Amino acid sequence: MRIHVVDHPLVAHKLTTLRDKRTDSPTFRRLADELVTLLAYEATRDVRTEQVDIETPVTTTTGVRLSHPRPMVVPILRAGLGMLDGMVRLLPTAEVGFLGMIRDEETLQASTYATRMPEDLSGRQVYVLDPMLATGGTLVAAIKELISRGADDVTALCLLAAPQGVELMERELAGAPVTVVTSSVDERLNEQGYIVPGLGDAGDRMYGTAG
């Protein structure tokens, strides 16, 4: 597994505002959207392309376009939905699947409650969206599901990561074709499984706490 921490002043600037507890939900959603687009730029450096001949107004030339099968973007519900627009802004022709997962707050184990994506992902590059790589259980379960369906190149985009989550993914997904792209690997997890210093519960901060 590879992990890529995006080191860029604009990333750091937006992340600082996301961390601030005074940032309201509309601003949080907007900044998360902008930050995801910056992360997506790095995450898609190895997106698969094929050569294509075109005519410009001046002459003919050779360029590239996304190859088939198209990449797939899979947000993990619900907080991952807040990252979807920022991702498809760069990959408008990508297909979108959905994966609903919930974490037991006592055991911190993740379970799947909904899926909406092809059974066969053979030859697909898949981009998984989940704001927080905390304990790592949710992403490990999600990526194992994608690989079981044939995905041969999985990139996870996370706003933040914790060392414990990174370590779990490295252990559980050893040898798998997986990359994690994030804006920061923070200090640690607290007793409740939240990233420290982190930014709190990303889903609640995006959408409120309605249950």
Side-chain angles (χ1 to χ4, degrees), residues 9 16 42 62 76 84-85 96 115 122 138 159 165-166 173 185 189:
T16 298
E42 294 293 331
T62 300
I76 297 179
L84 181 58
D85 286 348
V96 178
T115 57
S122 299
T138 298
L159 302 182
V166 173
L173 300 171
V185 177
L189 293 179

Side-chain angles (χ1 to χ4, degrees), residues 4-185:
H4 176 46
V5 179
V6 179
D7 182 15
H8 191 285
L10 289 179
V11 169
H13 167 73
K14 295 178 189 302
L15 178 58
T16 298
T17 307
L18 287 174
R19 291 188 191 275
D20 192 334
K21 67 179 183 180
R22 298 169 298 179
T23 300
D24 59 23
S25 288
T27 304
F28 191 96
R29 286 195 299 270
R30 176 177 59 80
L31 287 173
D33 177 78
E34 294 171 1
L35 181 54
V36 170
T37 299
L38 294 173
L39 296 180
Y41 182 80
E42 294 293 331
T44 54
R45 282 188 178 275
D46 296 323
V47 68
R48 293 169 186 162
T49 60
E50 59 190 16
Q51 287 192 341
V52 58
D53 295 326
I54 61 168
E55 290 188 12
T56 77
V58 179
T59 186
T60 58
T61 188
T62 300
V64 298
R65 65 184 175 192
L66 296 184
S67 58
H68 289 275
R70 298 292 190 192
M72 172 160 283
V73 177
V74 179
I76 297 179
L77 306 178
R78 75 178 163 150
L81 280 177
M83 303 173 69
L84 181 58
D85 286 348
M87 186 69 191
V88 298
R89 186 173 295 117
L90 284 191
L91 284 176
T93 59
E95 295 183 15
V96 178
F98 296 94
L99 187 56
M101 307 196 77
I102 190 168
R103 185 179 76 164
D104 187 298
E105 294 303 325
E106 292 185 2
T107 66
L108 303 182
Q109 296 299 307
S111 59
T112 302
Y113 66 85
T115 57
R116 183 68 176 179
M117 55 187 174
E119 288 295 328
D120 185 6
L121 294 174
S122 299
R124 285 287 187 96
Q125 285 182 296
V126 182
Y127 297 89
V128 185
L129 310 180
D130 193 12
M132 313 299 280
L133 171 51
T135 63
T138 298
L139 265 179
V140 166
I143 291 171
K144 284 184 175 180
E145 174 70 21
L146 295 169
I147 291 174
S148 74
R149 296 182 183 222
D152 65 357
D153 187 340
V154 180
T155 299
L157 279 76
C158 306
L159 302 182
L160 290 180
Q164 293 93 328
V166 173
E167 290 167 7
L168 181 72
M169 290 188 68
E170 289 176 336
R171 184 168 66 251
E172 294 291 323
L173 300 171
V178 176
T179 301
V180 175
V181 178
T182 184
S183 58
S184 175
V185 177

